[in-house]
Amino acid sequence: MQEFEYTSFIDAAASELFAWHERPGAFERLAPPWMPMRLESSEGIRDGQETVLRLGWGPLAVRWVARHQDYHEGAAFTDVQVSGPFEAWTHVHEFEDHDSGRCKVTDRIFYEPPFGAAGEWMAGGHIENTLREQFAYRHRILRHDSGLHGRYPQGSLTIAITGASGLIGSTLAAFLKTGGHRVIQLVRRPSTSKNDVLWNTTSGVREKEKLEGVDAVVHLAGENLFAPRWTEAKKRRIYDSRVQGTKLLARDLAGLSRKPRVFISSSAIGIYGDRGDEELTEDSDVDHDAFLARLCLDWEAAADEARQAGIRTVHPRTGLVISGAGGALGPMLPLFKAGLGGRLGIPEAYLSWIAMDDVVGAIYHAIYTDDITGPMNLTAPAPVTWNEFAPALGRVLNRPTFVTVPAWLIRAASGEVAENVILPSARVFPGVLEQTGYEFLFPDLEASFRHQLGRTNV
């Protein structure tokens, strides 16, 4: 039997971190984004309760069933593999109060690789390295999340989210649940879950009465921007899903008897257009010509009914989100891993990026910060050029980044997608977040890559 152990100290009480693990959303927060891992069901962590997940891609995915035992509230619990990829697997979670209000968190795993001695000979070192990266990530998440939750007023809020199944929405929902908040998901199809609200802009069926008394609404839904080319039909879906959807939601919120305290309605840094190396903040002029810029202007204006009804309204203008689970990095990673990655378009063009953990943290900050209203740039404090972005990703993946794809070729291949999404240079700074005291978890691009892609070399 092989043994693996990972220990760290976190500034929180053992009871608090243990409770974090018991809440819905804990598995999703702890699952490394670079791993193909999906939760099927979870009964909890008490004795006899089971967790079922899928590990792997498509038809090759393995079903992993773990049963919990040795539950000691506030101190420890254990999960044991019932069926799955290992010959045997026992994972002991321990929480122990230490000096100065810190908690010693220990994950101890006893395992036997598949195929016995042959499996240990072939994969032993790989398993050890994989576990070390996984648990370094898990402990960072636990440290960051407990720190964020502790930085703002305690107590449970009810927060409604549109687009909760998307990349940002699912991450935000899991984070909020582990903090003890109730998350209501606005969904397009009827559901039996008490935390789902039917809200279908196409059919016109909206259970808006179920939004009475929610504390905050985070509106993230919208047609995916990415496509090989934008047809007129695609552009109409992009526009309507954002502008018309936001108008309806703003109208519904404005008509409630018990209105939310804050409405966080998405936007994007595309509103600034192609601005070269100009330093851009929320006070900068916006573009009125490009399709994406006009869309963002109308998108933000679509929330006016909520604003006029006295609901504090915030527009996160989101930049390029760094996530190992997909998003903008999704189509890049295979090329970079193959040694074919590099600069797209003009090497000196700026990319304004933000780590996924800071997207979640900044939205949480905006929920609680009454001074934030109107546009809020959701970008890290250090935008970079392609000449910095590509080599940083190459260093993390240990691959060369010699390739430069010329702008004319990208325009020829992608048309308006290139002009609006891929090629513009926008050097955007998070003025509002910095002025209101938000503390970035990942202000450094390479550190963000390493955290999200499991390349911290621990």
Side-chain angles (χ1 to χ4, degrees):
M1 184 77 74
Q2 303 297 312
E3 182 176 350
F4 170 84
E5 182 177 305
Y6 197 94
T7 297
S8 63
F9 293 87
I10 296 175
D11 293 329
S15 58
E16 178 185 330
L17 297 183
F18 187 92
W20 188 97
H21 280 78
E22 272 206 285
R23 295 180 185 125
F27 177 88
E28 290 90 339
R29 287 301 290 144
L30 294 174
W34 65 87
M35 291 192 68
M37 185 182 296
R38 179 174 59 85
L39 180 68
E40 284 194 354
S41 64
S42 179
E43 298 173 337
I45 63 172
R46 295 180 180 243
D47 292 353
Q49 293 181 323
E50 292 187 348
T51 296
V52 182
L53 59 94
R54 287 275 177 182
L55 183 63
W57 290 275
L60 300 178
V62 176
R63 192 168 186 261
W64 194 341
V65 180
R67 182 173 298 136
H68 292 87
Q69 62 184 39
D70 301 330
Y71 174 93
H72 300 286
E73 187 171 0
F77 67 95
T78 298
D79 54 82
V80 178
Q81 176 184 287
V82 176
S83 62
F86 287 84
E87 290 292 329
W89 173 280
T90 299
H91 180 184
V92 181
H93 311 247
E94 297 174 339
F95 309 85
E96 179 185 353
D97 283 320
H98 210 259
D99 58 347
S100 304
R102 296 191 303 165
C103 175
K104 180 182 178 182
V105 180
T106 302
D107 286 280
R108 189 174 292 111
I109 297 173
F110 304 89
Y111 67 94
E112 290 184 8
F115 312 118
E120 169 60 25
W121 178 76
M122 290 186 295
H126 174 71
I127 293 173
E128 176 82 13
N129 291 336
T130 299
L131 289 174
R132 192 159 298 282
E133 282 289 3
Q134 282 186 44
F135 282 90
Y137 174 85
R138 289 168 65 111
H139 283 227
R140 283 195 301 274
I141 287 292
L142 186 57
R143 180 178 295 107
H144 292 162
D145 282 15
S146 62
L148 276 170
H149 288 305
R151 196 176 302 159
Y152 299 93
Q154 301 300 298
S156 177
L157 300 180
T158 298
I159 301 170
I161 302 177
T162 74
S165 62
L167 186 64
I168 294 175
S170 60
T171 307
L172 176 64
F175 167 80
L176 293 170
K177 290 174 185 176
T178 57
H181 302 293
R182 181 189 175 202
V183 173
I184 293 175
Q185 300 184 149
L186 276 66
V187 298
R188 289 178 292 180
R189 296 177 180 83
S191 171
T192 57
S193 171
K194 64 180 182 181
N195 290 322
D196 285 353
V197 171
L198 181 60
W199 198 81
N200 190 315
T201 58
T202 303
S203 67
V205 179
R206 308 194 304 281
E207 297 176 321
K208 51 189 175 183
E209 68 281 356
K210 293 185 178 180
L211 296 178
E212 288 281 359
V214 301
D215 297 292
V217 176
V218 182
H219 181 36
L220 302 169
E223 174 83 9
N224 191 346
L225 290 175
F226 292 98
R229 297 185 78 90
W230 283 345
T231 63
E232 288 304 314
K234 173 70 173 178
K235 288 167 65 177
R236 175 52 56 186
R237 291 196 302 273
I238 290 171
Y239 186 92
D240 287 348
S241 66
R242 286 166 172 77
V243 177
Q244 300 306 323
T246 301
K247 280 184 179 178
L248 283 173
L249 183 54
R251 184 174 304 155
D252 289 346
L253 297 180
L256 296 174
S257 299
R258 293 172 295 147
K259 299 174 179 59
R261 300 203 304 259
V262 59
F263 178 34
I264 297 180
S265 184
S266 292
S267 184
I269 62 169
I271 199 168
Y272 299 111
D274 187 358
R275 305 289 280 272
D277 63 355
E278 179 183 352
E279 295 188 7
L280 302 169
T281 69
E282 291 86 352
D283 295 326
S284 299
D285 292 336
V286 298
D287 185 25
H288 293 268
D289 297 325
F291 168 77
L292 186 55
R294 296 194 307 273
L295 164 66
C296 291
L297 283 166
D298 292 349
W299 193 4
E300 293 184 9
D304 280 349
E305 283 196 52
R307 200 173 355 255
Q308 292 161 4
I311 301 170
R312 180 168 64 89
T313 302
V314 182
H315 299 292
R317 293 174 175 174
T318 308
L320 187 154
V321 178
I322 304 298
S323 170
L329 275 188
M332 294 186 198
L333 283 175
L335 291 173
F336 274 83
K337 288 179 178 179
L340 300 174
R343 295 99 175 132
L344 295 180
I346 302 170
E348 294 78 21
Y350 274 90
L351 290 83
S352 296
W353 62 277
I354 184 168
M356 174 61 82
D357 301 275
D358 281 313
V359 172
V360 168
I363 291 174
Y364 197 57
H365 176 73
I367 288 173
Y368 280 104
T369 307
D370 291 340
D371 290 341
I372 298 179
T373 185
M376 177 185 77
N377 289 339
L378 211 52
T379 59
V384 298
T385 66
W386 272 110
N387 273 335
E388 298 166 292
F389 183 94
L393 185 53
R395 285 193 299 273
V396 170
L397 298 174
N398 196 27
R399 293 291 187 273
T401 54
F402 300 127
V403 176
T404 297
V405 182
W408 66 265
L409 183 58
I410 298 172
R411 289 190 183 97
S414 300
E416 281 190 272
V417 178
E419 296 290 356
N420 283 265
V421 181
I422 302 173
L423 296 177
S425 175
R427 191 182 182 191
V428 182
F429 291 87
V432 168
L433 285 173
E434 292 187 317
Q435 291 159 16
T436 55
Y438 179 70
E439 298 176 18
F440 281 86
L441 298 169
F442 289 97
D444 178 77
L445 178 64
E446 187 166 329
S448 175
F449 282 146
R450 291 193 180 280
H451 169 69
Q452 283 289 324
L453 299 176
R455 301 297 180 103
T456 52
N457 299 320
V458 293

